[in-house]
Amino acid sequence: MADVSIKDVYKTFGKTEVIHGISCDIKDGEFVVVLGPSGCGKSTLLRMVAGLEVITKGEIAINGAVVNDLEPADRDIAMVFQNYALYPHMSEKNMAYGLKIRRMPKEEIEKRIRNAANILEITEFLDRKPRQLSGGQRQRVAMDRCIVREPKVFLFDEPLSNLDAKLRVQMRLEIRRLQEDLEVTSISVTHDQVEVMTLGDRLIIMDNGYAAQVGSPLEIYERPATRFVAGFIGSPGMNFLPVPLSADGQWVELPGATRLPLQNGGIPSHRGQEIILGIRPEHCDLAGEQAGMMHLNVDHVEILGADTLVYGHFGEDNALLAVRLPAIHHFEKNTILPLVVSTKNMHIFDKESGKRIGD
Ligand SMILES: Nc1ncnc2c1ncn2[C@@H]1O[C@H](COP(=O)(O)OP(=O)(O)OP(=O)(O)O)[C@@H](O)[C@H]1O
Ligand SMILES: [Mg+2]
């Protein structure tokens, strides 16, 4: 049982600052997912929590006690690394290792290992050495070591990246169930959009060493604070169109002269200016009987089974647009599709700062 407080934490390697002041209070039992582009500092942040990197400035506290100067072994944290560190000459011992150094009775160690191995479907590999395991099997052994210890805090750095699709889904549910059963405060890094939306109570979206937004998955999906965040959550990513805002700030004009009304009083502060309109692919639909707001010229179609992705262009400037339609559609290239946009789900961003404006 532990809460983790990250307070204005900085990290510098040599002369390069890579983390520029990140803060987040993680409640006891909470599951936080960290997401961001490669090199933005996710692993570095986790490693500072684990005690594997020195904190250049700021404070990390567990249950109110500052751990900045505490050795990793004294923090009672278990971490699954991005490049899972297995001790090359240990097999079952691999999982027992964390426990032996804690002087747990042998029977208790064996019981815990069998339990965890069952969950992870690795019982048959227990006596193999790491080099005799596949990448995914190794990842599960690393996970097992983590679970077996029942620590105060779990840290997962892309724990499922080497697993096949079926195991991934199984493990995702298993991690969530375990985390809820054990009520272990957890921080996990992932690039997987489904994991992002389903695994975490809260997300930290990182951009180049900063926390661009912290919030629940739905909050961030529905009200992304910046264009960067908006483009990072959702797949395919949000469409961005530079369009003019009307002189009274109450509507935007799409290429092709269609006017889309804004919700909740419009954006008087930016009247007459060019803004960035954000539309998620799933918030467009075929126009049917209604007049289309835009006429998409189909470039490419991807049939996913449950739904169909259509990529195309429209308007004089050939603005690009991705659309997600429910069910299966066979559209030929260069077909013209009349589309409607769900105006209550539009997002508006400032063109210069990229910040969300209006509602
Ligand atoms: N030991 C180190 N010495 C110098 N620079 C480092 C060191 N470790 C990481 N960096 C730099 O710090 C930045 C953040 O690295 P980090 O590994 O935290 O990224 P990440 O978000 O985990 O990326 P990825 O998604 O690719 O794993 C990168 O620019 C990286 O080159
Ligand atoms: Mg990393």
Side-chain angles (χ1 to χ4, degrees):
M1 303 291 271
D3 52 57
V4 177
S5 153
I6 301 172
K7 214 155 107 193
D8 210 17
V9 161
Y10 288 74
K11 178 67 190 177
T12 307
F13 288 113
K15 288 199 173 106
T16 319
E17 190 177 277
V18 297
I19 305 261
H20 319 289
I22 288 198
S23 298
C24 185
D25 280 319
I26 301 168
K27 292 189 286 288
D28 182 28
E30 195 177 16
F31 200 133
V32 168
V33 171
V34 183
L35 177 73
S38 184
C40 71
K42 305 179 294 294
S43 296
T44 306
L45 182 66
L46 250 58
R47 291 170 61 81
M48 286 194 287
V49 176
L52 302 166
E53 295 287 356
V54 173
I55 299 160
T56 308
K57 210 168 94 185
E59 236 172 55
I60 295 182
I62 299 177
N63 280 337
V66 176
V67 297
N68 284 36
D69 299 322
L70 217 55
E71 289 295 320
D74 299 328
R75 296 190 187 191
D76 200 6
I77 284 178
M79 178 158 175
V80 176
F81 296 92
Q82 190 164 15
N83 308 308
Y84 26 90
L86 286 176
Y87 302 78
H89 304 299
M90 290 192 211
S91 48
E92 186 169 351
K93 292 193 203 94
N94 217 320
M95 284 180 265
Y97 179 75
L99 300 173
K100 283 230 178 89
I101 55 171
R102 265 153 227 278
R103 303 211 174 82
M104 187 177 280
K106 192 160 179 277
E107 305 77 64
E108 178 65 20
I109 292 181
E110 273 170 12
K111 198 179 115 213
R112 284 199 188 182
I113 288 179
R114 293 283 148 191
N115 267 346
N118 254 335
I119 292 169
L120 300 175
E121 296 183 11
I122 49 174
T123 313
E124 60 198 287
F125 311 126
L126 276 184
D127 49 4
R128 289 210 208 154
K129 295 201 165 57
R131 65 179 155 74
Q132 299 167 315
L133 298 171
S134 77
Q137 289 161 351
R138 268 185 239 179
Q139 211 161 26
R140 279 179 281 159
V141 172
M143 194 72 137
D144 203 316
R145 247 178 67 198
C146 208
I147 295 168
V148 161
R149 276 181 50 192
E150 298 184 7
K152 269 199 222 142
V153 181
F154 281 145
L155 302 177
F156 303 122
D157 200 348
E158 302 191 47
L160 310 181
S161 56
N162 281 324
L163 305 184
D164 64 54
K166 179 169 153 279
L167 252 178
R168 231 182 144 108
V169 173
Q170 226 169 308
M171 286 283 286
R172 186 166 69 226
L173 294 171
E174 207 48 62
I175 290 183
R176 190 70 234 214
R177 197 185 60 77
L178 262 170
Q179 198 267 343
E180 279 170 4
D181 282 1
L182 305 174
E183 295 181 330
V184 180
T185 313
S186 305
I187 312 177
S188 182
V189 172
T190 183
H191 285 291
D192 185 283
Q193 287 285 338
V194 181
E195 281 168 33
V196 165
M197 293 307 288
T198 57
L199 214 44
D201 299 311
R202 267 194 307 162
L203 306 179
I204 303 178
I205 313 290
M206 283 183 66
D207 179 9
N208 212 352
Y210 293 94
Q213 191 169 4
V214 180
S216 78
L218 267 188
E219 254 163 45
I220 293 184
Y221 175 83
E222 286 172 348
R223 290 182 51 81
T226 64
R227 177 180 170 166
F228 170 84
V229 172
F232 224 82
I233 296 285
S235 172
M238 189 183 279
N239 297 291
F240 297 110
L241 304 166
V243 295
L245 192 61
S246 64
D248 60 1
Q250 297 301 312
W251 45 269
V252 291
E253 187 175 311
L254 283 183
T258 305
R259 294 175 172 191
L260 303 182
L262 300 180
Q263 309 276 310
N264 302 326
I267 309 176
S269 60
H270 286 61
R271 53 170 70 108
Q273 294 179 25
E274 189 164 84
I275 50 90
I276 302 293
L277 171 65
I279 302 172
R280 293 199 182 278
E282 55 272 37
H283 293 146
C284 301
D285 205 353
L286 293 175
E289 297 295 302
Q290 317 152 54
M293 292 171 174
M294 52 179 114
H295 294 84
L296 190 72
N297 193 325
V298 175
D299 293 325
H300 180 64
V301 178
E302 291 175 356
I303 298 174
L304 302 181
D307 40 25
T308 302
L309 304 181
V310 182
Y311 299 88
H313 59 274
F314 73 103
E316 272 172 27
D317 298 332
N318 294 330
L320 296 177
L321 194 80
V323 178
R324 181 190 282 272
L325 300 171
I328 293 171
H329 302 269
H330 299 274
F331 297 124
E332 294 295 327
K333 191 173 153 73
N334 292 330
T335 312
I336 305 290
L337 298 181
L339 296 176
V340 285
V341 173
S342 161
T343 48
K344 68 175 195 310
N345 286 309
M346 296 192 306
H347 307 261
I348 312 281
F349 302 99
D350 184 274
K351 200 177 170 204
E352 302 305 322
S353 68
K355 290 209 172 92
R356 180 186 195 84
I357 46 177
D359 179 39

